[in-house]
């Protein structure tokens, strides 16, 4: 029986999402298939392989799945060495896989997360069954994108067709600057900027500068632009130091 088909209760999942409602809901949704642990406000050290309770008679508990928000996953994975395949930790224990649940699924964000080591990405409004399918697939070492995320990635491929100069012009166009102002900032003539804008309109299928800016933001073409991961402001976490990543986790109790 494959790992994705295996029923429940033999794998541990850690839910470290920054949104407390999503965190609790995800843990509850996955409980029939995983020993799902809501970490509360605890965190997870960067690159942890497995967690187990220390002490006589206790056995190591392998964490196969970590579910997080976009920002938290990227920060925690920033210091993790890339491995081929699923990867293993010391002692041959499989390294945990990461699944992001986010209310924002711009193509650029999804591709950025996947490049950083995230294996699955689903929209926070996905169906319950799709969340479970994603969790089982990612725990088995398989990539998974929900329909919304996959569609956003497909639309976002246009970003690869933009030249660096077109990206510069597009970024300033999204700020509402006119051709003269863009030209002054880039050190080029206004006529050159006008040519770039015309090309951008064609590539984006837009009829106006405003429509082009809206389309670029909708597709997430400007990957380096900050996008709120959650429309509801939450209290900021205390600083834990860059070496620890965003999350830190306490040991799991022995099963």
């Amino acid at each position: 029986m494959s790992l994705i088909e295996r029923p429940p209760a033999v794998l541990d999942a850690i839910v470290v999402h920054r949104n407390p409602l999503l965190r609790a809901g995800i843990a509850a949704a996955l409980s029939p298939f995983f020993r799902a642990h809501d970490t509360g406000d605890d965190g997870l050290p960067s690159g942890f392989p497995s967690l187990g309770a220390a002490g006589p008679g206790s056995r190591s508990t392998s964490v196969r799945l970590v579910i997080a928000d976009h920002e938290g996953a990227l920060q925690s994975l920033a210091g993790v060495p890339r491995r081929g395949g699923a990867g293993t930790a010391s002692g041959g224990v499989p390294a945990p896989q990461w699944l992001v649940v986010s209310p924002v699924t711009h193509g650029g964000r999804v591709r950025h997360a996947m490049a950083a080591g995230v294996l699955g990405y689903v929209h926070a409004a996905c169906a319950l069954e799709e969340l479970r399918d994603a969790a089982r697939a990612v725990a088995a070492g398989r990539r998974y994108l929900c329909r919304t995320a996959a569609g956003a990635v497909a639309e976002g491929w246009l970003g690869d067709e933009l030249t660096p100069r077109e990206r510069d012009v597009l970024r300033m166009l999204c700020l509402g600057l006119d051709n003269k102002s863009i030209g002054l900032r880039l050190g080029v003539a206004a006529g050159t900027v006008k040519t770039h804008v015309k090309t951008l309109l064609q590539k984006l299928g837009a009829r106006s500068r405003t429509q082009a800016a809206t389309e670029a933001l909708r597709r997430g073409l400007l990957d380096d632009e900050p996008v709120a991961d959650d429309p509801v402001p939450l209290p900021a976490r205390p600083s834990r130091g860059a070496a620890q990543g965003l999350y830190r986790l306490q040991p799991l109790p022995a099963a």
Side-chain angles (χ1 to χ4, degrees):
M1 180 181 291
S2 70
L3 188 58
I4 193 172
E5 296 168 344
R6 186 178 300 168
V10 292
L11 299 176
D12 283 282
I14 303 299
V15 187
V16 292
H17 203 286
R18 68 188 290 269
N19 185 305
L21 292 178
L22 281 177
R23 193 171 63 230
I26 292 168
L30 297 183
S31 59
F33 302 92
F34 296 86
R35 286 190 292 261
H37 303 270
D38 178 348
T39 63
D41 290 327
D42 292 333
L44 180 70
S46 173
F48 82 101
S50 63
L51 297 170
S58 66
R59 65 177 182 83
S60 177
T61 302
S62 175
V63 177
R64 296 302 306 276
L65 178 66
V66 182
I67 304 99
D69 54 278
H70 177 95
E71 180 188 28
L74 264 60
Q75 288 191 26
S76 293
L77 285 168
V80 180
R82 298 302 303 277
R83 305 181 180 91
T88 57
S90 59
V93 178
Q97 304 290 4
W98 288 73
L99 170 66
V100 167
V101 178
S102 173
V104 181
T105 53
H106 289 172
R109 283 165 58 83
V110 177
R111 287 196 290 162
H112 186 197
M114 303 294 272
V118 169
L119 206 60
Y121 210 108
V122 298
H123 195 280
C126 71
L128 185 62
E129 191 56 38
E130 184 163 39
L131 173 63
R132 291 171 173 170
D133 288 345
R136 291 194 293 263
V138 171
R142 304 180 185 182
R143 293 191 181 278
Y144 190 99
L145 295 179
C146 70
R147 291 184 178 181
T148 303
V153 169
E155 286 191 335
W157 284 118
L158 172 61
D160 292 339
E161 300 178 6
L162 301 180
T163 67
R165 180 60 79 192
E166 287 170 350
R167 283 182 174 275
D168 291 339
V169 173
L170 180 59
R171 185 174 293 104
M172 295 184 188
L173 187 151
C174 289
L175 294 175
L177 299 180
D178 57 26
N179 290 350
K180 183 177 180 180
S181 299
I182 294 175
L184 289 174
R185 293 196 179 194
L186 297 180
V188 299
T192 302
V193 175
K194 183 177 181 180
T195 300
H196 285 311
V197 171
K198 182 178 180 180
T199 302
L200 285 169
L201 294 180
Q202 293 173 345
K203 289 185 175 182
L204 292 168
R207 291 176 292 181
S208 68
R209 299 165 69 94
T210 301
Q211 187 178 1
T214 301
E215 188 68 10
L217 294 174
R218 184 183 72 82
R219 297 190 187 190
L221 298 182
L222 302 178
D223 298 354
D224 57 343
E225 293 299 319
V227 180
D229 192 56
D230 194 325
V232 180
L234 295 173
R237 293 182 182 273
S239 175
R240 307 180 189 277
Q244 290 185 315
L246 183 62
Y247 295 118
R248 185 186 45 163
L249 190 67
Q250 302 298 325
L252 296 178

